[in-house]
Amino acid sequence: MKKDLLKIDDLSKDDILDILNTADQLKYEHKHNIPHEHLKGKSLGMIFEKSSTRTRVSFEVGMYQLGGNALFLSSRDLQIGRGEPIEDTARVLSRFIQGIMIRTYSQEEVETLAKYSSIPIINGLTDLEHPCQVLADLMTIREYKNILEGLKVAYIGDGNNIAHSLIIGTLKIGMNISIACPKGYMPKEEYIARGKELSELEGTKFIITTSPEEAVIDADVVITDVWASMGQEDEAKIRKEAFVGFQINKKLMELAKSNALVLHCLPAHRGEEITGDIIDEHSNEIFDESENRLHAQKAVLLKLMKNNY
Ligand code: CP
Ligand code: NVA
């Protein structure tokens, strides 16, 4: 495994499966009160430049359960907020702590942090990717369906960070994925190109369309995310108009398999990208998906912060 988890593509197929297996094991140990304090004496710094409920709490609690310690570092309070270069911050923090989770806007900032740190860096969401979320999604799908390979995922909505990580994560693992986004809101070209490459390599289907109906046909899993991500609040109104028809609702779900799962990374905007009744109907898997952030990330922490785990 690489030193850092900056993008989902940093993980090989075997790395992903290894993380998912470890996550299942850690979940079992957690539920059965079996101690697993493998990171005793280690500290994780958590730099947040954007808001968070799940990511903050799951990393902090995860480190505690692994016997370690987590420090919440708001970028407003760090000297980064007053202009200290990320390169210096990286070198200083590497002397104190054993890993950093960072949530910020720019992927480049995370890459720079990783380049100048001697400790593992974990991307807790950037504008480009959300790899930890997709690991939890894959874990949840496998819990419900027992397999991943060959299943069809449909993602309906914005071609954003979640869509990017999902394209790479699903195709790498041998799943099929259809992405439906309005014109002008497609995933970045580099992700489409990499997706095509992976689907050829794995012999799986990768479809990009502007039709939610086409994407959702016979899907085993239907996934969506907010129309306006953090940092896009000013565009909320214009996006609401552009995304008409891209809502997960009863009518659209009729096209998916009758036992299809619905996932949402949350927070959700009921009545926009998804209706309240669909969230209620699928609340089991949606809130398992949230919980699985904890277990999947604990697996990542162990893999990156403990030698040969
Ligand atoms: N899904 C997710 O990352 O949630 P938070 O923004 O609350 O961390
Ligand atoms: N796409 C969303 C995901 C939130 C977890 C955002 O970036 O705000």
Side-chain angles (χ1 to χ4, degrees):
M1 214 166 288
K2 289 190 178 172
K3 170 176 107 42
D4 311 297
L5 174 54
L6 309 181
K7 297 176 168 190
I8 196 86
D9 220 2
D10 285 336
L11 302 172
S12 67
K13 180 176 182 173
D14 285 347
D15 289 339
I16 295 176
L17 290 173
D18 192 20
I19 288 169
L20 298 185
N21 292 341
T22 302
D24 287 348
Q25 171 72 21
L26 289 166
K27 186 169 184 174
Y28 176 87
E29 289 174 359
H30 178 64
K31 301 277 174 202
H32 293 84
N33 290 318
I34 301 168
H36 44 276
E37 299 187 340
H38 306 296
L39 292 184
K40 258 201 177 122
K42 303 211 175 188
S43 297
L44 176 80
M46 308 190 302
I47 303 177
F48 280 94
E49 230 170 293
K50 288 177 173 174
S51 308
S52 169
T53 298
R54 282 143 286 268
T55 305
R56 178 185 174 175
V57 176
S58 55
F59 268 106
E60 189 159 339
V61 170
M63 275 305 286
Y64 172 75
Q65 291 175 1
L66 290 168
N69 176 43
L71 296 95
F72 175 72
L73 304 168
S74 160
S75 58
R76 267 195 304 270
D77 305 330
L78 290 172
Q79 296 284 12
I80 299 180
R82 295 181 54 251
E84 182 169 19
I86 197 85
E87 292 86 341
D88 288 354
T89 306
R91 287 180 283 201
V92 169
L93 290 180
S94 295
R95 305 290 179 110
F96 296 135
I97 56 185
Q98 288 69 46
I100 299 174
M101 190 286 306
I102 178 165
R103 166 170 287 197
T104 188
Y105 295 88
S106 139
Q107 182 72 23
E108 290 72 41
E109 189 182 333
V110 178
E111 311 263 346
T112 306
L113 185 68
K115 185 168 167 204
Y116 288 90
S117 300
S118 57
I119 55 174
I121 306 300
I122 301 169
N123 178 351
L125 181 146
T126 59
D127 290 346
L128 201 70
E129 286 232 14
H130 198 357
C132 296
Q133 181 66 54
V134 167
L135 291 170
D137 290 4
L138 294 174
M139 176 179 180
T140 310
I141 297 167
R142 200 169 71 159
E143 276 180 344
Y144 278 82
K145 300 280 183 196
N146 293 317
I147 51 153
L148 290 172
E149 283 190 16
L151 294 183
K152 174 178 173 178
V153 172
Y155 174 88
I156 312 298
D158 188 20
N160 60 13
N161 42 14
I162 294 285
H164 290 155
S165 297
L166 209 53
I167 289 171
I168 308 302
T170 52
L171 291 170
K172 217 167 211 183
I173 215 81
M175 302 174 86
N176 305 299
I177 186 162
S178 293
I179 303 269
C181 309
K183 240 176 133 187
Y185 296 94
M186 289 287 170
K188 283 194 182 298
E189 200 45 57
E190 66 196 88
Y191 282 86
I192 297 179
R194 178 68 177 138
K196 283 183 184 152
E197 194 177 275
L198 285 169
S199 76
E200 275 165 30
L201 214 70
E202 293 285 332
T204 48
K205 283 203 196 89
F206 174 42
I207 289 164
I208 298 266
T209 170
T210 51
S211 160
E213 290 77 16
E214 182 195 340
V216 124
I217 285 173
D218 283 335
D220 298 285
V221 188
V222 180
I223 305 183
T224 190
D225 184 21
V226 290
W227 292 339
S229 285
M230 288 181 276
Q232 296 172 333
E233 288 79 5
D234 291 354
E235 297 173 32
K237 195 169 169 281
I238 194 168
R239 282 173 169 267
K240 243 187 218 177
E241 286 157 22
F243 282 83
V244 168
F246 285 76
Q247 182 188 65
I248 310 239
N249 52 34
K250 274 217 148 62
K251 190 157 177 277
L252 193 65
M253 285 306 294
E254 278 169 15
L255 300 170
K257 288 212 178 115
S258 58
N259 62 352
L261 301 174
V262 173
L263 296 181
H264 192 309
C265 62
L266 303 178
H269 290 173
R270 288 169 173 79
E272 291 186 17
E273 75 276 4
I274 191 163
T275 53
D277 57 344
I278 293 289
I279 294 201
D280 292 343
E281 196 182 318
H282 292 273
S283 60
N284 284 343
E285 65 259 29
I286 290 174
F287 292 100
D288 280 345
E289 175 190 14
S290 257
E291 180 190 328
N292 285 340
R293 293 290 304 279
L294 172 71
H295 310 297
Q297 286 159 201
K298 281 167 74 180
V300 170
L301 291 167
L302 280 183
K303 297 287 169 197
L304 298 185
M305 289 173 69
K306 186 165 169 70
N307 284 343
N308 303 319
Y309 184 82

